[in-house]
Amino acid sequence: MPTIVVDVMPKPEILDPQGKAIAGALPRLGFSAFSGVRQGKRFELTVEGEVTEDVLRQAREAAEQMLSNPVIEDVVNVEVQS
Amino acid sequence: MPTIVVDVMPKPEILDPQGKAIAGALPRLGFSAFSGVRQGKRFELTVEGEVTEDVLRQAREAAEQMLSNPVIEDVVNVEVQS
């Protein structure tokens, strides 16, 4: 069955304490390559049947209205999983 | 600055109550195209400088050791953001 992936990230200007905590912990475990971490959400929506233009429109609307909080988050990606 | 994206999802056999709740709410808002929803996490790791093979290896190891719980989650994707 096809899957539509929706990615939601905190807006760049919004503090992300979880990401900050991870960024602080990484070097203590030997991972020194990264200067910052942001944590967001990934949703997988299962579609029965074909991914039509209407299904994609529904996914984009659901992403904006239900899967993200537009005050603090951006929908960064809505795509059919290959 | 380059960014490495890490995607983590609950294992298929693990219950996902957040995904279930979203799947139940979607039709009530008029989004009837989806038969299921799973919710996972997306991390963006910022890299200073070049993404070398060693940086990618660190990202993969951090994904397995720190960004996911291998008992209940799968790392489904580690890639440089284009």
Side-chain angles (χ1 to χ4, degrees):
Chain A
M1 274 178 301
T3 298
I4 298 177
V5 173
V6 174
D7 291 315
V8 173
M9 294 299 294
K11 283 184 189 290
E13 66 271 27
I14 296 286
L15 265 181
D16 172 13
Q18 287 175 300
K20 276 256 185 304
I22 295 165
L26 282 169
R28 293 198 295 272
L29 288 167
F31 304 114
S32 55
F34 313 106
S35 59
V37 180
R38 307 280 288 171
Q39 180 175 343
K41 286 179 274 187
R42 173 190 165 99
F43 300 92
E44 293 183 355
L45 313 178
T46 310
V47 178
E48 302 274 355
E50 230 182 313
V51 179
T52 61
E53 199 38 61
D54 177 63
V55 170
L56 263 178
R57 186 192 48 76
Q58 282 196 33
R60 284 193 210 100
E61 283 184 22
E64 295 289 346
Q65 293 173 26
M66 240 193 80
L67 304 178
S68 67
N69 175 348
V71 179
I72 58 168
E73 292 171 324
D74 286 325
V75 177
V76 296
N77 197 33
V78 178
E79 67 177 1
V80 183
Q81 196 168 45
S82 49
Chain B
M1 273 178 301
T3 298
I4 297 176
V5 173
V6 174
D7 291 315
V8 173
M9 294 300 292
K11 283 183 189 291
E13 67 270 26
I14 297 286
L15 265 182
D16 172 14
Q18 287 176 300
K20 277 255 185 300
I22 295 165
L26 282 170
R28 293 198 294 272
L29 288 169
F31 304 113
S32 55
F34 312 107
S35 59
V37 179
R38 309 277 290 170
Q39 180 176 342
K41 287 179 274 187
R42 175 190 163 101
F43 300 93
E44 293 184 356
L45 313 177
T46 309
V47 177
E48 301 275 355
E50 231 181 313
V51 180
T52 60
E53 199 40 59
D54 178 63
V55 170
L56 263 179
R57 186 191 50 75
Q58 282 195 33
R60 285 194 211 99
E61 283 184 23
E64 295 289 346
Q65 293 174 26
M66 240 194 80
L67 304 179
S68 67
N69 176 348
V71 178
I72 58 168
E73 292 171 325
D74 287 325
V75 177
V76 296
N77 197 34
V78 178
E79 67 177 1
V80 183
Q81 196 167 47
S82 49

Short mmCIF file of all heavy atoms in Angstrom, two decimals, chain B residues 11-43:
data_model
loop_
_atom_site.label_atom_id
_atom_site.label_comp_id
_atom_site.label_asym_id
_atom_site.label_seq_id
_atom_site.Cartn_x
_atom_site.Cartn_y
_atom_site.Cartn_z
N LYS B 11 8.70 0.46 15.42
CA LYS B 11 8.71 -0.81 14.68
C LYS B 11 7.28 -1.18 14.31
O LYS B 11 6.34 -0.90 15.07
CB LYS B 11 9.31 -1.91 15.56
CG LYS B 11 10.83 -1.87 15.67
CD LYS B 11 11.31 -3.06 16.51
CE LYS B 11 12.78 -2.95 16.84
NZ LYS B 11 13.68 -3.13 15.69
N PRO B 12 7.11 -1.86 13.17
CA PRO B 12 5.75 -2.20 12.70
C PRO B 12 4.93 -2.98 13.74
O PRO B 12 3.72 -2.79 13.84
CB PRO B 12 6.00 -3.05 11.45
CG PRO B 12 7.36 -2.66 10.98
CD PRO B 12 8.14 -2.27 12.19
N GLU B 13 5.59 -3.81 14.53
CA GLU B 13 4.84 -4.64 15.47
C GLU B 13 4.55 -3.92 16.79
O GLU B 13 3.86 -4.46 17.66
CB GLU B 13 5.61 -5.95 15.74
CG GLU B 13 6.92 -5.78 16.49
CD GLU B 13 8.11 -5.59 15.54
OE1 GLU B 13 7.90 -5.10 14.40
OE2 GLU B 13 9.23 -5.91 15.94
N ILE B 14 5.04 -2.69 16.92
CA ILE B 14 4.82 -1.93 18.15
C ILE B 14 3.58 -1.05 18.00
O ILE B 14 3.41 -0.37 17.00
CB ILE B 14 6.06 -1.04 18.45
CG1 ILE B 14 7.30 -1.89 18.70
CG2 ILE B 14 5.80 -0.10 19.62
CD1 ILE B 14 7.33 -2.60 20.03
N LEU B 15 2.73 -1.06 19.00
CA LEU B 15 1.56 -0.18 19.01
C LEU B 15 2.01 1.28 18.97
O LEU B 15 3.00 1.64 19.58
CB LEU B 15 0.75 -0.40 20.29
CG LEU B 15 -0.41 -1.38 20.20
CD1 LEU B 15 -1.12 -1.43 21.55
CD2 LEU B 15 -1.39 -0.97 19.11
N ASP B 16 1.24 2.09 18.28
CA ASP B 16 1.58 3.51 18.16
C ASP B 16 0.33 4.32 18.50
O ASP B 16 -0.44 4.70 17.62
CB ASP B 16 2.07 3.79 16.74
CG ASP B 16 2.25 5.28 16.46
OD1 ASP B 16 2.25 6.06 17.43
OD2 ASP B 16 2.38 5.64 15.29
N PRO B 17 0.09 4.55 19.79
CA PRO B 17 -1.18 5.20 20.19
C PRO B 17 -1.36 6.60 19.60
O PRO B 17 -2.49 6.98 19.28
CB PRO B 17 -1.10 5.24 21.71
CG PRO B 17 0.28 4.88 22.09
CD PRO B 17 0.93 4.19 20.93
N GLN B 18 -0.27 7.36 19.44
CA GLN B 18 -0.40 8.70 18.84
C GLN B 18 -0.88 8.59 17.40
O GLN B 18 -1.79 9.30 16.98
CB GLN B 18 0.95 9.42 18.86
CG GLN B 18 1.37 9.90 20.25
CD GLN B 18 2.76 10.51 20.22
OE1 GLN B 18 3.72 9.83 19.86
NE2 GLN B 18 2.86 11.76 20.59
N GLY B 19 -0.25 7.66 16.65
CA GLY B 19 -0.67 7.45 15.26
C GLY B 19 -2.13 7.02 15.19
O GLY B 19 -2.90 7.49 14.36
N LYS B 20 -2.50 6.10 16.10
CA LYS B 20 -3.89 5.62 16.14
C LYS B 20 -4.87 6.77 16.40
O LYS B 20 -5.92 6.86 15.78
CB LYS B 20 -4.06 4.57 17.25
CG LYS B 20 -3.66 3.16 16.88
CD LYS B 20 -4.90 2.28 16.64
CE LYS B 20 -4.53 0.82 16.39
NZ LYS B 20 -3.65 0.67 15.20
N ALA B 21 -4.51 7.64 17.33
CA ALA B 21 -5.39 8.77 17.65
C ALA B 21 -5.55 9.70 16.45
O ALA B 21 -6.66 10.18 16.16
CB ALA B 21 -4.82 9.55 18.84
N ILE B 22 -4.44 9.94 15.74
CA ILE B 22 -4.52 10.79 14.55
C ILE B 22 -5.37 10.13 13.48
O ILE B 22 -6.23 10.78 12.85
CB ILE B 22 -3.10 11.09 14.01
CG1 ILE B 22 -2.32 11.92 15.02
CG2 ILE B 22 -3.17 11.80 12.67
CD1 ILE B 22 -0.83 11.95 14.76
N ALA B 23 -5.16 8.82 13.28
CA ALA B 23 -5.93 8.10 12.26
C ALA B 23 -7.42 8.16 12.57
O ALA B 23 -8.26 8.24 11.66
CB ALA B 23 -5.46 6.64 12.18
N GLY B 24 -7.77 8.15 13.86
CA GLY B 24 -9.17 8.25 14.24
C GLY B 24 -9.75 9.64 14.04
O GLY B 24 -10.93 9.80 13.74
N ALA B 25 -8.90 10.66 14.18
CA ALA B 25 -9.38 12.04 14.09
C ALA B 25 -9.48 12.52 12.65
O ALA B 25 -10.30 13.39 12.35
CB ALA B 25 -8.45 12.95 14.89
N LEU B 26 -8.64 12.00 11.76
CA LEU B 26 -8.62 12.50 10.37
C LEU B 26 -10.00 12.47 9.70
O LEU B 26 -10.43 13.49 9.14
CB LEU B 26 -7.60 11.71 9.54
CG LEU B 26 -6.13 12.08 9.74
CD1 LEU B 26 -5.21 11.06 9.05
CD2 LEU B 26 -5.83 13.46 9.21
N PRO B 27 -10.73 11.33 9.75
CA PRO B 27 -12.03 11.32 9.06
C PRO B 27 -13.02 12.33 9.65
O PRO B 27 -13.84 12.90 8.94
CB PRO B 27 -12.54 9.89 9.25
CG PRO B 27 -11.42 9.10 9.82
CD PRO B 27 -10.39 10.04 10.34
N ARG B 28 -12.93 12.57 10.93
CA ARG B 28 -13.83 13.54 11.56
C ARG B 28 -13.60 14.94 11.02
O ARG B 28 -14.47 15.81 11.11
CB ARG B 28 -13.66 13.52 13.09
CG ARG B 28 -14.12 12.22 13.73
CD ARG B 28 -14.35 12.38 15.23
NE ARG B 28 -13.14 12.67 15.98
CZ ARG B 28 -12.32 11.74 16.48
NH1 ARG B 28 -12.56 10.47 16.28
NH2 ARG B 28 -11.25 12.08 17.16
N LEU B 29 -12.41 15.21 10.49
CA LEU B 29 -12.12 16.52 9.90
C LEU B 29 -12.24 16.50 8.38
O LEU B 29 -11.84 17.45 7.71
CB LEU B 29 -10.71 16.96 10.31
CG LEU B 29 -10.59 17.37 11.77
CD1 LEU B 29 -9.14 17.54 12.17
CD2 LEU B 29 -11.34 18.68 12.02
N GLY B 30 -12.78 15.39 7.85
CA GLY B 30 -13.02 15.34 6.42
C GLY B 30 -11.91 14.71 5.60
O GLY B 30 -11.99 14.67 4.37
N PHE B 31 -10.88 14.21 6.28
CA PHE B 31 -9.78 13.56 5.55
C PHE B 31 -10.01 12.06 5.57
O PHE B 31 -9.66 11.37 6.53
CB PHE B 31 -8.44 13.91 6.18
CG PHE B 31 -8.19 15.39 6.27
CD1 PHE B 31 -8.14 16.03 7.50
CD2 PHE B 31 -8.02 16.15 5.12
CE1 PHE B 31 -7.91 17.39 7.59
CE2 PHE B 31 -7.80 17.52 5.20
CZ PHE B 31 -7.74 18.14 6.44
N SER B 32 -10.63 11.55 4.51
CA SER B 32 -11.07 10.16 4.50
C SER B 32 -10.16 9.26 3.69
O SER B 32 -10.45 8.08 3.51
CB SER B 32 -12.48 10.10 3.93
OG SER B 32 -12.49 10.72 2.65
N ALA B 33 -9.06 9.79 3.19
CA ALA B 33 -8.25 9.03 2.22
C ALA B 33 -7.27 8.05 2.87
O ALA B 33 -6.64 7.27 2.17
CB ALA B 33 -7.48 10.00 1.32
N PHE B 34 -7.17 8.09 4.21
CA PHE B 34 -6.06 7.38 4.84
C PHE B 34 -6.56 6.25 5.74
O PHE B 34 -7.51 6.43 6.50
CB PHE B 34 -5.20 8.36 5.64
CG PHE B 34 -4.88 9.59 4.84
CD1 PHE B 34 -5.48 10.81 5.12
CD2 PHE B 34 -4.01 9.51 3.77
CE1 PHE B 34 -5.21 11.94 4.36
CE2 PHE B 34 -3.74 10.63 2.99
CZ PHE B 34 -4.34 11.85 3.29
N SER B 35 -5.92 5.10 5.64
CA SER B 35 -6.36 3.96 6.41
C SER B 35 -5.53 3.75 7.67
O SER B 35 -5.89 2.95 8.54
CB SER B 35 -6.32 2.69 5.55
OG SER B 35 -5.01 2.48 5.08
N GLY B 36 -4.42 4.45 7.78
CA GLY B 36 -3.61 4.30 8.98
C GLY B 36 -2.58 5.41 9.07
O GLY B 36 -2.22 6.03 8.06
N VAL B 37 -2.12 5.67 10.30
CA VAL B 37 -1.09 6.69 10.52
C VAL B 37 -0.09 6.14 11.53
O VAL B 37 -0.48 5.52 12.53
CB VAL B 37 -1.70 8.01 11.08
CG1 VAL B 37 -0.61 9.05 11.31
CG2 VAL B 37 -2.77 8.56 10.15
N ARG B 38 1.19 6.35 11.26
CA ARG B 38 2.23 6.06 12.24
C ARG B 38 3.01 7.34 12.48
O ARG B 38 3.29 8.10 11.55
CB ARG B 38 3.22 4.99 11.74
CG ARG B 38 2.59 3.73 11.20
CD ARG B 38 2.23 2.73 12.25
NE ARG B 38 3.38 2.11 12.89
CZ ARG B 38 3.27 1.33 13.98
NH1 ARG B 38 2.09 1.11 14.54
NH2 ARG B 38 4.33 0.78 14.51
N GLN B 39 3.34 7.60 13.74
CA GLN B 39 4.10 8.81 14.06
C GLN B 39 5.50 8.45 14.53
O GLN B 39 5.67 7.63 15.44
CB GLN B 39 3.40 9.64 15.13
CG GLN B 39 4.20 10.90 15.45
CD GLN B 39 3.50 11.83 16.42
OE1 GLN B 39 2.31 11.74 16.64
NE2 GLN B 39 4.27 12.74 17.01
N GLY B 40 6.48 9.06 13.90
CA GLY B 40 7.86 8.85 14.31
C GLY B 40 8.57 10.17 14.50
O GLY B 40 7.93 11.21 14.70
N LYS B 41 9.89 10.13 14.45
CA LYS B 41 10.69 11.32 14.71
C LYS B 41 11.62 11.62 13.55
O LYS B 41 12.05 10.73 12.83
CB LYS B 41 11.53 11.10 15.99
CG LYS B 41 10.71 11.16 17.25
CD LYS B 41 11.55 10.92 18.48
CE LYS B 41 11.69 9.43 18.76
NZ LYS B 41 12.35 9.15 20.05
N ARG B 42 11.90 12.89 13.39
CA ARG B 42 12.85 13.34 12.38
C ARG B 42 13.87 14.25 13.05
O ARG B 42 13.50 15.19 13.76
CB ARG B 42 12.10 14.12 11.29
CG ARG B 42 12.99 14.76 10.24
CD ARG B 42 12.16 15.69 9.38
NE ARG B 42 12.98 16.62 8.62
CZ ARG B 42 13.27 16.48 7.33
NH1 ARG B 42 12.81 15.45 6.67
NH2 ARG B 42 14.01 17.36 6.72
N PHE B 43 15.14 13.93 12.85
CA PHE B 43 16.22 14.75 13.41
C PHE B 43 17.00 15.40 12.29
O PHE B 43 17.25 14.77 11.27
CB PHE B 43 17.17 13.88 14.24
CG PHE B 43 16.52 13.18 15.39
CD1 PHE B 43 16.02 11.89 15.24
CD2 PHE B 43 16.40 13.79 16.63
CE1 PHE B 43 15.41 11.22 16.29
CE2 PHE B 43 15.80 13.13 17.68
CZ PHE B 43 15.30 11.85 17.52
#
